[in-house]
Amino acid sequence: MSSSTEGRFVRNAWYVAAWSSEVGDQPLARKIIGEPLVAFRNSRGAVIILSDTCPHRFAPLHRGKVIGDQIECGYHGLRFADDGQCVFNPRPGGVLTAANRVASYPVVERDTFVWVWMGAPDRADPSTIPAFPWLTDGDTYVKTAAATMVQRLPVELIVDNLMDLSHGAYIHRDSLNAYPPDAHVSGTVTADVTQDGCEIHNLVQRDGTDFYLHTFFRDSRTVADNGTVDLWTDTRFNAPTTIYFEVGIKPPGEPRAAGEFFGSVHALTPCDADTTEYRWLVFRNYAKGDPGLTAEMEKLVGHAFVTEDEPMIGAVRDRMAGRDFWSMRPITLAGDQGAIAARRCVERLVEADRIGVPASVRPR
Amino acid sequence: MSSSTEGRFVRNAWYVAAWSSEVGDQPLARKIIGEPLVAFRNSRGAVIILSDTCPHRFAPLHRGKVIGDQIECGYHGLRFADDGQCVFNPRPGGVLTAANRVASYPVVERDTFVWVWMGAPDRADPSTIPAFPWLTDGDTYVKTAAATMVQRLPVELIVDNLMDLSHGAYIHRDSLNAYPPDAHVSGTVTADVTQDGCEIHNLVQRDGTDFYLHTFFRDSRTVADNGTVDLWTDTRFNAPTTIYFEVGIKPPGEPRAAGEFFGSVHALTPCDADTTEYRWLVFRNYAKGDPGLTAEMEKLVGHAFVTEDEPMIGAVRDRMAGRDFWSMRPITLAGDQGAIAARRCVERLVEADRIGVPASVRPR
Amino acid sequence: MSSSTEGRFVRNAWYVAAWSSEVGDQPLARKIIGEPLVAFRNSRGAVIILSDTCPHRFAPLHRGKVIGDQIECGYHGLRFADDGQCVFNPRPGGVLTAANRVASYPVVERDTFVWVWMGAPDRADPSTIPAFPWLTDGDTYVKTAAATMVQRLPVELIVDNLMDLSHGAYIHRDSLNAYPPDAHVSGTVTADVTQDGCEIHNLVQRDGTDFYLHTFFRDSRTVADNGTVDLWTDTRFNAPTTIYFEVGIKPPGEPRAAGEFFGSVHALTPCDADTTEYRWLVFRNYAKGDPGLTAEMEKLVGHAFVTEDEPMIGAVRDRMAGRDFWSMRPITLAGDQGAIAARRCVERLVEADRIGVPASVRPR
């Protein structure tokens, strides 16, 4: 971890390294919290993740090739087994020792993602990986394609953005939220932030709302005859960098199960202090036979991320110019609780890493 | 002010923020001595300049829009009045306090410029703004268009360039000064540098000169029958970064009023340590009915700035590589007095800022 | 020398500043171990190398022009004689002193190269310049064109690459070494690293080899009837940054003089910590009447440098990210002796510079 990433990221945590579909039998390069990694599937189909730096002369192993269960360095031909041990030196008289190895990382494939544990291997606990059961339940849900954006943005500013959806009325005024900002204050609004371990829920409910959230519900069957609905926006944050939120509508007074919603998955992987890999998709439990709506969701949401969110977050990053968030004395207003809770939670985990105390990231 | 600008610029000073014509009723972004600013005209037509950083999540305010006398942040919709006070938070339950505000800056419009005071507001004294009366006297003078260059150059090296016009014989040998450098030493030459507070004059007179300064005087009526003139170059520097100079010719022995001259205004605004906004124009008191000469002045001078001065100053900047000027032990020669006096004057003002002592920038 | 080059390079050493053919009667800019230099030939044809920074306002002298034996600064017209003394100030009243000068550097032209001594002038000893007698012996050898690459690579990583030619079987598998890596271990192999002062030899001999090194020997007359040869690869390193190696084949049991070989010259000039000028050519003592082979050598070797070595070395540089080589705890294996010896030798010379003790760079 370079000095610019030291103390910035949670180490003892699971991060999404890839969509499962991305990893094949040849090397795939990744950088996560500043550490270069190489991923490949061995001959049994298991995903292997090793340090991407050859310990001999520091060539990136991903520039070499996978031969059976081994990866060969492309510079001088050293070969490493899938547990990281160096097992072959092609030069005459080459002797290898147990110390000639690269680090290997715990890996779990789940819910279409490859998760990697970046901390002490003996503390890797797969039960703390946040679940995304919707992604493998094709009967109940229809989803957009698995998408990946590489953004030149620090991950914490993307989390800030997602944990305060009130930005939609301004940034996405002309795309996802084609309604005047004043509409936001109609209806009866309740907002709740709850925290369980390092899982944070940010729930906003607007009962008796007389407008549609946006065009994605335009053909909804849940719209009451009088044109009003209950609207909910439920955001789930799992430290350090994974967010899920759903937006739903239901007939006034009915339970959520009577409603329709779409959910979006935001798996943020900090490559380093400046760059984030952002994997996302959107799924829904309604209008499942409407491929046009699926295509529209994919296009509109992707467009909003790239042309609306990313420039604004980048402008914030430039304005911060590397300064610490708190040192800039941000003013805190109603609506900021979720984002602040997420930020505090990550800071607590970084501190736990630093002093060597395990911190629970699982919901109790 | 970031660390790279800290202690580098005079804070308690007026800077040109814009030509008056640049500021309209929507946000205009500026950066001056490292501070991001946003300028707009309020409903009464007054130019307002505020800090461009929303104190909530640090979005640049210029990405939002002006609504009446308020500017709305484009990220989460906070609105700020034209005195910087935050007056609206769109989120439910939003409470605002007097501390929720952005800095506002003293502004003066004068002589076609918008001037902004970057220091302590209670020390802003409009009488210390350098005057450019020629710019609004259309009866006596004809002028080129108001021009703005953004140069990736530190402001002090541009000042160095302008305060020693002897560079013209070398850098501008083939454009503005199409004569051999040896011509410089003909005639009787006197050079005087005088300083009054932080206004410095650099006057060079060449009496009985038998050549033309350059093509701009080619049709001059002041040329004596015997082909000789008195030539003057009079440079005025007003700390920290404004320069005016005129170049004139007159019949030998006559007063300046009997002569013809053109003046050029160089309003340098340091954005930060690396970049300068450079506003300029040229005016003259002769050949006023010759639009071809006006066009030629505009084209030739602009061309000289961009293709001759800027590359050389950039080469000096690269060669200095961030080192302090004095630490490089420059040799000082005849002709350097004006530039050295300007540099010392600015250093004195920066030091006065640092220790908190007011320093006069007005001519006595 | 800027802070990033301080203590990184050997100062008391000869470096190749140019091919002799590069230097003419107008200024040529160079940067060597962080120092900007300007080279030109004076009226007697001698190569002059001066500091490229005018001591007045730090303009690069190479932006000016050479007038006779003097170089004129392009900014304010100061002129410097070919010993570095400032001899002319065009401004009225200009007085010059002996202190108004730029540094001049000892220069030697030899073997088609211009060598410059970057250390204390009184320690410059031309006898320590490594000899390349092949380059001027057109009767015995035919050579490719003098080539220069500017690589964004730190010089020590290029030395590492060249001092361990085992990389050829991997990096150049499909170009220069079109044979399987296992071929490397056939035959009887002996490897020797010897050091004499700061000249290091890395000799690898493979006796009774039954394959061709590569296509460059495809028409060789030395191939024994039974198809086996003795193969040698002899690398000579002269600290700090010059490498020569030859690759030869001969009938089994015969002396080298009975064989055929090609030699390659690698004159590495570190511009600064990030960039290296790399001058090279290849010559041979066989098939001298075959211009097609000469063209093929030039093309294939240049292609290998640019498309195979440079990306890999750049990947290593990126992976090291400015960290010290030893701090990364490289594992050392058979075959690394030559590169390690070269690195240690340079480190010793840098240390000798630092503490002011002369260190011999000549072979004893």
Side-chain angles (χ1 to χ4, degrees), chain A residues 36 52-53 55-60 63 65 72 74-78 89-93 95 100, chain C residues 161 164 166-167 170-171 173 185 311-313 315-316 319-320 325 328 330-331 333-336 340:
Chain A
D52 191 35
T53 304
H56 172 233
R57 285 300 170 269
F58 318 128
R63 297 182 69 93
K65 55 187 179 183
E72 176 189 87
Y75 201 172
H76 300 98
L78 297 186
N89 172 14
R91 292 179 297 181
V95 175
N100 298 154
Chain C
N161 174 277
D164 178 4
S166 79
H167 75 264
Y170 297 89
I171 290 190
R173 185 181 291 173
V185 293
M312 179 60 88
I313 301 172
V316 169
R319 192 50 45 91
M320 293 182 72
F325 179 78
M328 292 181 73
I331 62 176
L333 301 169
D336 289 331
I340 294 291

Side-chain angles (χ1 to χ4, degrees), chain A residues 206-213 220 222-224 226-231 248-253:
Chain A
R206 299 168 194 273
D207 294 341
T209 300
D210 60 356
F211 63 91
Y212 297 112
L213 178 70
S220 173
T222 66
V223 179
N226 59 5
T228 65
V229 294
D230 289 351
L231 168 70
I249 54 176
K250 59 184 180 64

Side-chain angles (χ1 to χ4, degrees), chain B residues 339-353:
Chain B
I340 294 290
R343 187 177 279 271
R344 291 294 192 197
C345 181
V346 169
E347 290 170 349
R348 186 167 61 81
L349 293 173
V350 169
E351 177 64 10
D353 273 356

